[in-house]
Amino acid sequence: MPSIQIKDVPPETHAVLRERAARSRQSLQEYLLAKLIEEASAPTLDEVLDRIDMMSGGSISFVEAVEAVHAGRAGR
């Protein structure tokens, strides 16, 4: 399995993470691994927008659709 090493973690950050791991009754490694898995499991906004942009079927771009919505709201 691949591994990750993070260097130069500020001491305050390390202390907070160790405390959170202890409160969760996990080792620091277990705690951070769970956080990394959680982070990687949800797509970022950019990833979602890229997926939408790749979809076909619409006759206008996403940007044009957003501009049309804003224009419609401004006309209220």
Side-chain angles (χ1 to χ4, degrees):
M1 214 181 248
S3 60
I4 296 173
Q5 180 178 12
I6 301 174
K7 297 180 180 183
D8 302 322
V9 176
E12 311 81 40
T13 302
H14 186 264
V16 168
L17 292 172
R18 286 189 64 79
E19 177 62 28
R20 289 180 183 173
R23 286 185 183 175
S24 298
R25 294 194 169 114
Q26 295 176 303
S27 68
L28 183 56
Q29 180 176 332
E30 290 169 327
Y31 180 79
L32 293 175
L33 179 58
K35 292 297 179 185
L36 287 172
I37 291 169
E38 181 182 325
E39 173 67 23
S41 67
T44 65
L45 179 58
D46 285 339
E47 290 168 340
V48 171
L49 294 176
D50 286 345
R51 289 180 196 163
I52 291 169
D53 198 33
M54 295 176 78
M55 293 179 182
S56 62
S59 59
I60 65 172
S61 72
F62 178 74
V63 172
E64 291 171 318
V66 170
E67 290 171 350
V69 170
H70 287 298
R73 290 180 180 166
R76 289 184 187 174

